Amino acid sequence: MDGFGVSLAFWVLAAITLVAAGGVMVSRNLLHAVLFLILTFVGVAGFFVLLSADFIAMAQVIIYVGAIAVLVLFAVLLTPRASRDNGETRWALPGVLLSVCLAAIFLFVIHDTAWKTRDGVPQGLSASDLGTALLTTWVVPFEIASVLLTAALVGAIMLTRSPEEEAEDALA
Amino acid sequence: MTPGIEHFLTVGALLFCLGLAIALSKRNAVGVLMGVELMLNAVNLTLITFSRFTVSPNPIAGHTFVVFVLTVAAAEAAVALALAVAVYRNRETIDVDRLNLLRS
Amino acid sequence: MTGIIKSEPFVINIGPQHPSTHGVFRIKATVDGEKVIDAEMVMGYLHRSMEKLAEERTYTQNIPFTDRTDYLSSMSNNLGYCLAVEKLAGIEVPPRGNAIRVIMAELQRLASHCMAVGAFANDTGAWQTPVMWAFREREKILDIFEVTSGARLTCNYMRIGGVAFDLRPEFEPMVRRVLREFPPFIDEMEGLLSENEIFIARTKGVGVLTPEMAINSSLSGPMLRGSGIAWDIRKADPYCGYEQYDFDIPIGYNGDSYDRFIVRLEEMRQSLKIIQQALDGLPGGPFRTEVPLALRPPKGEAYARIESPRGELGYYLVSDEGPSPYRFHIRPPSFINLSALKEMTVGGTVADAIVVLGSIDIVVGEIDR
Amino acid sequence: MTPLFLTSDRWYDIRDLGNLSRALLDAADKILPGGVVYVLAALIGFVASFLLFVLPSQLIIGVYGERRIIGRMQSRLGPNRVGPFGLLQPIADAIKLIQKEALTPTQADRVVMYIAPIIFVMPAVLLWAVIPFGENMVIADIPVSLMYFLAVSALPVIATFMAGWSSNNKYSLFGAMRIVSMAISYESPLVLALLGAVVMSGTISLSGMVAWADEYTIWMVFVQPLALVIYFICVSAELNRTPVDIAEAESEIVAGYLTEYSGMKWGLFYGMDIGYALAASGFAATVFLGGWTFFGLEEWVPGWLIFIAKTHLFYFLFIWTRGTLPRLRADQLMAFAWKFLLPLGVFNLLIVSTERMLWAEQDYAKGLIYVFALVNIVLSVGLVYAWARFNGYRPERTPTRPRLVKQAGGYIPVGERP
């Protein structure tokens, strides 16, 4: 994982991801913001490939680009008369200032500490290792996550049921 | 020169702060959710970076944690958007400023 | 708490330029999501004011008009008009003329039903395959029309008092060929569509027409028979000697688009039986009684009706002893069948509206006249 | 620095064109500084894969083959005017489309409408990167290639949505909404079906699956017939081909999301549709029909020839359904996906995992797999029928012939029904 190709890929991906994230912030039309968001997700997936976490990269693309981005698109479509101009609230300026300070702190910490890193690529990062880890050492959180997903599923359906559907079920 | 741990961490930090800025400054509820999604992505990136670069007996822990963050993010996105649609149905607006029913 | 705001409905125009409105016809559907809330039909794009023009022409000159109202079944239109004039003027048609008229009317029913069945399958999505098969068979019938009357679509073959020309020698073998090759085609179409799960899912229970609603909106033809009412003018008020032929009337079970489809397929089989019997017993003798060109029927009025492929086609003529009719009115079956479209489409989705329109089998030329 | 290309000594290894590109790259490597040769290799790879897989596949096989076969199904000839036997028809189409003006409606979202075809085209080429054509003829043999396929096939959904949304037309909006909701609801049964195959073969890399099929000399389709059926239905939903092409349902919403597109933009959508169908059938051939192996035949016949034969065999299924089946309604499709396919996928997964457990105890005996195959085939048919009956599928209730009045004894009064 060394040589010219990797650093070239890193700088290209960094540029794409950060520009797309900026696009989400800046673009006037909400739908353009969503499309920039999708581009960011793809960029982050590219980073995962660079960090040799290919299962996570594929999972990221399937879950984020395939499902969550489409969920956001649906939300935008189902709220036709809401303002779609991606405008700012009154708290925009303080929010941006806060995040700039936070960024400063993060960057200082990153570049100040001497990270003790390994040199080669660690073994045991393949999909099968992830599978065994998930089902042996991490099996309890794995089950809790599935319960959480079902709860979210039921919750989302309950929230968006229209009165007619509830009336129908009351009769049934 | 090949990208080391600082490079990935800086990208993660910048992404996190951009997500925070978006979440705080957007008027539309869906915009806020997009900011939150960006922050979660940044966290995932940092986790994977540590799993790849730091010396640890089983580096796969970082990956499992990212899987859990993915599921939570998906669940949270679903509920948040359902909330936005429900609020829109009652208020015909999802402007974060004008949703101030609890104010005195 | 303001009322719950549903996604606000918006009006969508199906037609006049749309791939599945069978001609220039428009439905202004108000749609909430996929559901159709309200459908308003806009017609008249093909209005040629035939009824007014017919008042300036003599009785014989009006025959080509009747070809162009329902351009998919010109033979039946000619027949209807000639029967009305013969009733008005009290003209007798020789038995050979009647037999030829029956054969031609039934052949025209086969061709028109081929078009109806193919286009209906096309609307449900079976893209082009059933239509192409149906057209392949319809070509054989159009060739027969071309050999006998000189034209494929607007034949202008029937005259007052009989038919224009006698049958040519090639007529017999061509009709035998149709009688031989149509039954396997109908079975093939039935195999492809009637037992097809997706086709049944798309058409069963879509555009249901209860018998009471069918009778109250005075529908006729396959629409009426699809809802289970056994009413066929060839049996109820026989003309041209239909009472001599042994055939049957198919009726559906619960009046949805699927039933209308299988009723049309069965009607094609019955027409083949009629043609078979008529061809075997074709009498000799004259094929037309001589009628003066400037026919002046006695003062009075007459209404004659026939069972056209789309339903009861009626011609109402009023004569004031002049060479041209004082009043010339056509009762088009498609126009009246269309009145039931609104009840059938409201409540379903846009896709259902298209399927229901296909099952009614309209011809816009007949609606707008 | 070992060259990028793994060339085998087999005479038919087309991928390396007789080591031409390798020699070229070695020469270039001496001249150009640093690792620029990587970029050059990537460029050649992309262009080669586009020319080798995507261009001929949908031009010759897709556009021409599909239209000709469907023509024959409809008892007409299909294209035979342009060139010998009409073979130049796709090229004629392409030229016609290129010189046609690509309109953009006034109120349309110009930028998004321009980008949509590009994003639609890009994954079509990427899909071919992971599919193994021959012995070691695979461009990117990544261990997660099955998931890579799922990930990349999520991108065209976004592209079609962009096309539908940006062309500011009611029918396009219908098409966009339909494709998005349908692709989501058909993604989960698709993943479940492929999971069945993964559990049985134990790997999620395509070359691993081909090796498994070769090692146990049985195709996955016999062990997992239900998975292939569900895969076929879900993929024809993802690519919106009939009987599931509600996104551009000609008879209902004119041309769905493609209504406002014309010229080469529309051409890209049309061409890449067929490219995806081929890529999906290539994927199915690799996973379910044992890729480039044919029980030992690959010693004589080149592997990639077997693979391409299987791909087009599977592609014929798409053409066949397109030619004959009518289209389901949008809500029926959703109900079918959630209420019928998903539970079926879960049952199938249940069966497969128990079989895998049994198989593991016998430490993967070779003979046992054939027993499982027979059991699975019988079980699948039974499962589908039972589940359909459970969901209220009573075919004998729908009479396909109307009642005849004379046979029914004279006049049948109104309201009397069987």
Side-chain angles (χ1 to χ4, degrees):
Chain A
M1 284 305 281
D2 53 2
F4 173 75
V6 176
S7 45
L8 175 76
F10 171 78
W11 291 109
V12 166
L13 275 175
I16 291 177
T17 318
L18 292 177
V19 163
V24 174
M25 175 79 177
V26 165
S27 68
R28 287 269 60 76
N29 175 347
L30 191 63
L31 261 148
H32 290 181
V34 175
L35 297 180
F36 276 122
L37 188 71
I38 293 170
L39 191 57
T40 326
F41 291 154
V42 172
V44 170
F47 274 116
F48 289 153
V49 170
L50 269 181
L51 293 164
S52 74
D54 38 26
F55 179 82
I56 301 292
M58 296 311 147
Q60 152 100 353
V61 172
I62 293 177
I63 291 176
Y64 271 103
V65 174
I68 293 185
V70 172
L71 213 58
V72 174
L73 285 176
F74 256 102
V76 171
L77 287 178
L78 287 179
T79 55
R81 272 201 296 279
S83 67
R84 286 197 180 144
D85 56 3
N86 207 7
E88 269 70 20
T89 62
R90 294 193 308 279
W91 303 94
L93 198 57
V96 169
L97 284 179
L98 172 73
S99 47
V100 164
C101 306
L102 204 62
I105 298 166
F106 282 151
L107 291 181
F108 171 73
V109 162
I110 291 169
H111 291 292
D112 186 33
T113 58
W115 299 98
K116 190 154 61 66
T117 60
R118 65 169 74 222
D119 39 20
V121 178
Q123 298 317 320
L125 278 185
S126 73
S128 50
D129 306 328
L130 178 62
T132 42
L134 269 177
L135 285 178
T136 47
T137 48
W138 299 86
V139 73
V140 174
F142 187 72
E143 298 311 328
I144 294 171
S146 56
V147 167
L148 179 97
L149 275 176
T150 349
L153 188 70
V154 172
I157 294 173
M158 278 312 294
L159 275 172
T160 47
R161 257 154 60 97
S162 59
E164 295 88 14
E165 283 155 346
E166 269 144 16
E168 273 162 31
D169 291 356
L171 291 175
Chain B
M1 39 89 185
T2 60
I5 190 167
E6 290 86 4
H7 299 81
F8 289 102
L9 287 182
T10 35
V11 172
L14 286 178
L15 205 59
F16 185 83
C17 298
L18 257 171
L20 183 66
I22 291 169
L24 290 181
S25 68
K26 282 302 167 201
R27 203 150 37 101
N28 192 326
V30 177
V32 171
L33 181 84
M34 285 203 271
V36 170
E37 289 299 327
L38 269 181
M39 289 154 75
L40 286 168
N41 260 3
V43 165
N44 284 351
L45 183 57
T46 323
L47 277 170
I48 294 286
T49 320
F50 284 129
S51 138
R52 158 76 172 74
F53 281 104
T54 59
V55 178
S56 75
N58 54 355
I60 204 71
H63 289 232
T64 47
F65 216 75
V66 165
V67 166
F68 295 141
V69 171
L70 276 177
T71 51
V72 167
E76 176 264 337
V79 173
L81 292 169
L83 210 62
V85 169
V87 160
Y88 169 76
R89 282 205 172 144
N90 293 334
R91 284 286 175 282
E92 200 184 317
T93 167
I94 39 174
D95 276 358
V96 186
D97 293 348
R98 288 169 51 200
L99 298 179
N100 46 22
L101 198 57
L102 294 179
R103 175 168 297 175
S104 60
Chain C
M1 271 279 283
T2 59
I4 304 291
I5 297 114
K6 294 188 63 63
S7 56
E8 95 278 1
F10 60 94
V11 178
I12 182 169
N13 275 327
I14 304 173
Q17 200 272 331
H18 187 276
S20 60
T21 47
H22 303 267
V24 199
F25 166 77
R26 170 169 155 215
I27 306 176
K28 265 162 80 170
T30 328
V31 170
D32 162 29
E34 286 262 343
K35 234 154 75 69
V36 174
I37 309 169
D38 177 23
E40 181 209 344
M41 287 161 282
V42 179
M43 289 177 263
Y45 290 93
L46 210 57
H47 178 59
R48 297 155 287 186
S49 75
M50 276 185 191
E51 297 183 358
K52 189 59 191 166
L53 287 173
E55 284 157 12
E56 265 73 39
R57 279 162 182 68
T58 70
Y59 284 93
T60 317
Q61 283 172 336
N62 279 337
I63 294 177
F65 274 135
T66 60
D67 287 336
R68 273 124 184 114
T69 50
D70 179 356
Y71 38 77
L72 281 181
S73 52
S74 62
M75 285 289 189
S76 319
N77 296 349
N78 291 357
L79 179 60
Y81 175 69
C82 296
L83 284 177
V85 178
E86 280 144 19
K87 187 181 268 188
L88 191 64
I91 297 165
E92 262 309 307
V93 178
R96 183 174 173 84
N98 269 334
I100 295 175
R101 281 183 169 180
V102 163
I103 295 175
M104 285 304 171
E106 290 311 319
L107 279 176
Q108 187 69 72
R109 191 187 310 281
L110 277 178
S112 165
H113 277 338
C114 274
M115 177 69 193
V117 159
F120 179 60
N122 208 358
D123 290 345
T124 58
W127 194 236
Q128 297 299 11
T129 314
V131 170
M132 286 300 170
W133 289 355
F135 270 32
R136 178 188 63 204
E137 302 305 321
R138 184 164 174 264
E139 280 308 309
K140 296 170 189 153
I141 299 175
L142 297 189
D143 293 345
I144 297 174
F145 287 159
E146 193 171 12
V147 159
T148 43
S149 70
R152 292 160 54 89
L153 204 62
T154 56
C155 307
N156 192 6
Y157 177 58
M158 302 204 181
R159 292 292 178 275
I160 299 160
V163 279
F165 327 99
D166 201 350
L167 296 179
R168 303 175 60 80
E170 307 93 334
F171 177 76
E172 171 94 13
M174 289 173 94
V175 177
R176 292 281 176 220
R177 177 167 170 244
V178 165
L179 290 177
R180 209 174 40 250
E181 282 167 7
F182 242 81
F185 156 67
I186 299 174
D187 301 341
E188 194 182 21
M189 191 63 109
E190 202 165 57
L192 174 70
L193 290 174
S194 306
E195 289 118 13
N196 183 324
E197 291 314 317
I198 300 175
F199 187 78
I200 292 177
R202 270 304 293 283
T203 51
K204 200 117 199 60
V206 167
V208 177
L209 202 58
T210 59
E212 295 71 26
M213 201 197 325
I215 295 176
N216 296 344
S217 38
S218 73
L219 304 184
S220 57
M223 295 277 291
L224 201 59
R225 290 191 285 276
S227 305
I229 297 148
W231 170 260
D232 189 325
I233 296 171
R234 292 174 295 177
K235 289 274 185 190
D237 176 7
Y239 50 93
C240 285
Y242 263 104
E243 65 282 357
Q244 305 152 7
Y245 305 112
D246 158 37
F247 64 98
D248 218 329
I249 312 170
I251 37 174
Y253 299 93
N254 35 39
D256 50 19
S257 311
Y258 182 74
D259 281 355
R260 288 191 277 275
F261 174 78
I262 49 178
V263 159
R264 285 200 184 93
L265 279 185
E266 192 54 37
E267 268 179 24
M268 285 161 84
R269 288 198 181 92
Q270 297 306 323
S271 299
L272 286 170
K273 266 166 74 177
I274 298 173
I275 296 171
Q276 178 78 37
Q277 293 163 35
L279 199 61
D280 297 345
L282 195 61
F287 52 88
R288 186 179 65 213
T289 56
E290 285 318 320
V291 167
L293 215 52
L295 176 70
R296 289 174 177 273
K299 183 188 282 294
E301 57 179 21
Y303 176 74
R305 52 184 180 170
I306 62 157
E307 180 66 29
S308 98
R310 265 154 270 292
E312 175 190 334
L313 173 67
Y315 280 86
Y316 171 67
L317 294 173
V318 174
S319 144
D320 62 352
E321 289 184 10
S324 51
Y326 177 75
R327 173 76 174 102
F328 168 97
H329 171 65
I330 305 170
R331 182 227 188 249
S334 297
F335 180 71
I336 293 166
N337 291 351
L338 209 53
S339 58
L341 178 70
K342 187 161 167 44
E343 290 87 26
M344 293 203 281
T345 43
V346 169
T349 66
V350 173
D352 288 345
I354 303 287
V355 168
V356 165
L357 188 63
S359 74
I360 298 176
D361 173 26
I362 56 167
V363 173
V364 185
E366 194 173 48
I367 297 172
D368 301 341
R369 286 186 302 281
Chain D
M1 190 188 68
T2 60
L4 280 170
F5 296 89
L6 296 171
T7 54
S8 70
D9 46 14
R10 296 284 171 83
W11 55 269
Y12 49 76
D13 184 347
I14 50 158
R15 196 176 40 120
D16 200 2
L17 308 174
N19 304 348
L20 178 66
S21 51
R22 188 168 62 150
L24 185 89
L25 280 170
D26 288 351
D29 196 20
K30 295 187 189 59
I31 310 158
L32 299 174
V36 174
V37 78
Y38 277 96
V39 180
L40 202 61
L43 215 64
I44 290 180
F46 188 80
V47 169
S49 66
F50 187 82
L51 286 178
L52 202 58
F53 310 127
V54 175
L55 207 58
S57 69
Q58 58 249 29
L59 285 194
I60 304 302
I61 309 301
V63 175
Y64 175 73
E66 178 159 359
R67 281 169 59 171
R68 196 122 171 113
I69 295 174
I70 286 193
R72 293 311 302 150
M73 278 184 201
Q74 297 167 353
S75 70
R76 59 183 169 84
L77 271 181
N80 57 5
R81 282 284 182 281
V82 186
F85 303 109
L87 273 171
L88 297 183
Q89 178 68 31
I91 292 131
D93 282 355
I95 295 170
K96 174 199 76 175
L97 283 175
I98 287 174
Q99 49 95 8
K100 271 217 164 63
E101 186 208 0
L103 304 163
T104 346
T106 50
Q107 298 293 330
D109 195 331
R110 211 166 289 282
V111 171
V112 175
M113 192 163 178
Y114 185 78
I115 294 173
I118 299 170
I119 296 195
F120 194 76
V121 164
M122 188 224 344
V125 178
L126 290 180
L127 283 182
W128 289 98
V130 283
I131 297 180
F133 280 81
E135 185 63 36
N136 39 38
M137 290 154 71
V138 60
I139 296 176
D141 188 4
I142 51 178
V144 278
S145 40
L146 188 118
M147 278 187 72
Y148 172 87
F149 195 88
L150 286 176
V152 171
S153 66
L155 289 177
V157 174
I158 307 280
T160 38
F161 178 81
M162 281 159 70
W165 174 262
S166 65
S167 39
N168 187 27
N169 157 328
K170 284 199 180 88
Y171 289 137
S172 307
L173 190 61
F174 258 100
M177 291 287 279
R178 281 182 173 182
I179 184 130
V180 166
S181 52
M182 193 181 60
I184 294 294
S185 44
Y186 275 91
E187 190 104 8
S188 29
L190 177 68
V191 169
L192 276 175
L194 291 177
L195 210 54
V198 162
V199 159
M200 214 39 165
S201 64
T203 73
I204 46 173
S205 91
L206 290 177
S207 37
M209 287 208 176
V210 173
W212 182 85
D214 198 17
E215 184 195 348
Y216 291 94
T217 65
I218 185 169
W219 287 355
M220 182 59 82
V221 78
F222 301 123
V223 183
Q224 271 297 302
L226 200 54
L228 183 67
V229 168
I230 297 178
Y231 172 84
F232 177 72
I233 296 170
C234 294
V235 159
S236 56
E238 298 270 332
L239 308 169
N240 76 70
R241 293 190 68 92
T242 318
V244 197
D245 65 344
I246 55 172
E248 25 154 319
E250 290 78 10
S251 53
E252 286 138 34
I253 43 172
V254 186
Y257 60 92
L258 289 178
T259 323
E260 292 299 339
Y261 275 83
S262 58
M264 206 42 199
K265 280 194 216 162
W266 179 84
L268 282 179
F269 271 108
Y270 176 71
M272 287 309 148
D273 255 350
I274 295 168
Y276 280 123
L278 268 162
S281 39
F283 178 76
T286 315
V287 170
F288 289 105
L289 304 179
W292 44 270
T293 62
F294 199 94
F295 309 128
L297 184 67
E298 69 273 12
E299 296 313 320
W300 297 280
V301 177
W304 47 270
L305 209 59
I306 299 173
F307 170 73
I308 288 180
K310 286 180 189 165
T311 312
H312 295 314
L313 177 82
F314 200 84
Y315 185 69
F316 176 71
L317 276 181
F318 284 120
I319 299 178
W320 190 5
T321 49
R322 175 159 183 239
T324 46
L325 293 179
R327 169 185 312 118
L328 272 171
R329 224 185 22 225
D331 46 336
Q332 285 166 342
L333 275 172
M334 300 305 152
F336 181 70
W338 291 110
K339 290 187 191 146
F340 190 78
L341 282 186
L342 202 59
L344 219 56
V346 171
F347 288 146
N348 182 26
L349 201 55
L350 217 63
I351 298 167
V352 168
S353 27
T354 47
E355 275 172 8
R356 173 84 189 192
M357 290 271 291
L358 294 171
W359 202 25
E361 273 146 24
Q362 263 73 34
D363 52 54
Y364 304 112
K366 274 182 97 71
L368 203 55
I369 193 74
Y370 297 106
V371 171
F372 284 146
L374 285 177
V375 164
N376 270 357
I377 289 174
V378 168
L379 223 56
S380 311
V381 171
L383 190 68
V384 167
Y385 189 72
W387 184 241
R389 293 295 291 197
F390 177 76
N391 276 347
Y393 163 66
R394 299 285 183 276
E396 66 285 355
R397 283 275 174 71
T398 54
T400 60
R401 285 287 180 84
R403 290 171 303 178
L404 290 175
V405 171
K406 189 164 287 179
Q407 283 160 6
Y411 185 75
I412 295 178
V414 168
E416 188 264 319
R417 268 183 286 283

